[in-house]
Amino acid sequence: MFISFEGVDGSGKSTQARLLSAALKAEGREVLEIREPGGTPAAEQVRELLADPAVPLDPVAELMLFLAARADLVATVLRPALEAGTWVVSDRYSDSTEAYQGHARGLGSQRVRDLNDAATGGLAPDLTVLLDVEPGQALARAVDGGRFETEGEGFQRSVGEAYLEIARRDSDRVVVIDGSGSEEEVHRQVVDAVAARARS
Ligand code: TYD
């Protein structure tokens, strides 16, 4: 089972990914936690480059770097783990690229999806949890001042709209959870969504 968490910067998805992994491990499951970009030596180096707002990057180059990191992660870590029966919980995956680079950066959703399929061999999550938080509220919680936090509220709003569009389109895969509640409330809803998917 492959579960991804998505949301705008500061939506609380990293906390929720961690809480879900801990809950699954407590049930005795083998769980691999990953965060994107990252998870392999090469992808971690790409992450550092992408995270530095002082390094100017052409938008297409930025897209290719996210996809290069993902290709390495899928081929060397993610796919082998799933094939071994391990559950994978990922903090971000392909929907981030469609929302940030495809929509907010304006590179085009379909183009990004096609390139992403080439990078991943079409590997999609079984379940995606989208934490829906008002972008202004989320930005106030996002403290690291990275490449995208510094783009401001309009950019985050565009990312948020793209996510909701993806959720409407891929409603079989994506569950939208209101991320404005307490950590425990949101976690309970996440656990329910995972249990429902595991039963189906
Ligand atoms: P992340 O470390 O998840 O940041 P945060 O915890 O603040 O949400 O992701 C780093 C940034 O990279 C984040 O602003 C979203 C962005 N991103 C993309 O633009 N495209 C992508 O494909 C991915 C995976 C992340």
Side-chain angles (χ1 to χ4, degrees):
M1 175 89 128
F2 174 19
I3 302 160
S4 65
F5 280 82
E6 296 284 357
V8 297
D9 295 274
S11 57
K13 67 186 168 33
S14 305
T15 303
Q16 291 301 328
R18 222 172 26 245
L19 289 175
L20 176 66
S21 297
L24 292 171
K25 283 179 189 165
E27 285 174 6
R29 280 190 201 288
E30 194 73 37
V31 181
L32 172 71
E33 296 176 65
I34 56 183
R35 69 158 184 194
E36 275 227 79
T40 71
E44 289 295 331
Q45 287 198 22
V46 171
R47 179 184 184 87
E48 273 180 38
L49 173 59
L50 284 165
D52 186 352
V55 178
L57 255 184
D58 168 77
V60 176
E62 176 189 282
L63 165 66
M64 296 300 182
L65 286 171
F66 279 113
L67 295 181
R70 181 165 307 133
D72 198 48
L73 178 71
V74 168
T76 64
V77 176
L78 218 168
R79 207 182 278 281
L82 291 171
E83 281 168 2
T86 301
W87 282 38
V88 177
V89 176
S90 183
D91 183 351
R92 298 194 180 280
Y93 191 64
S94 302
D95 298 326
S96 285
T97 324
E98 186 177 346
Y100 283 75
Q101 281 67 49
H103 197 265
R105 284 274 195 247
L107 296 179
S109 283
Q110 192 55 52
R111 181 184 183 199
V112 166
R113 291 171 71 202
D114 290 345
L115 290 168
N116 185 66
D117 279 348
T120 63
L123 180 67
D126 300 297
L127 172 68
T128 295
V129 176
L130 171 58
L131 292 182
D132 186 27
V133 178
E134 210 275 312
Q137 186 194 345
L139 258 194
R141 296 202 298 214
V143 286
D144 53 357
R147 182 175 297 276
F148 299 94
E149 280 95 342
T150 50
E151 291 280 347
E153 202 175 314
F155 187 88
Q156 295 292 331
R157 208 167 279 289
S158 170
V159 171
E161 282 163 11
Y163 271 135
L164 292 175
E165 235 171 81
I166 293 169
R168 276 192 291 274
R169 180 189 70 213
D170 289 351
S171 56
D172 286 353
R173 170 176 63 86
V174 184
V175 172
V176 183
I177 291 180
D178 178 2
S180 64
S182 73
E183 251 172 56
E184 297 73 46
E185 272 164 22
V186 175
H187 175 58
R188 249 196 320 275
Q189 292 183 61
V190 170
V191 167
D192 287 349
V194 171
R197 183 52 45 99
R199 276 196 304 271
S200 69

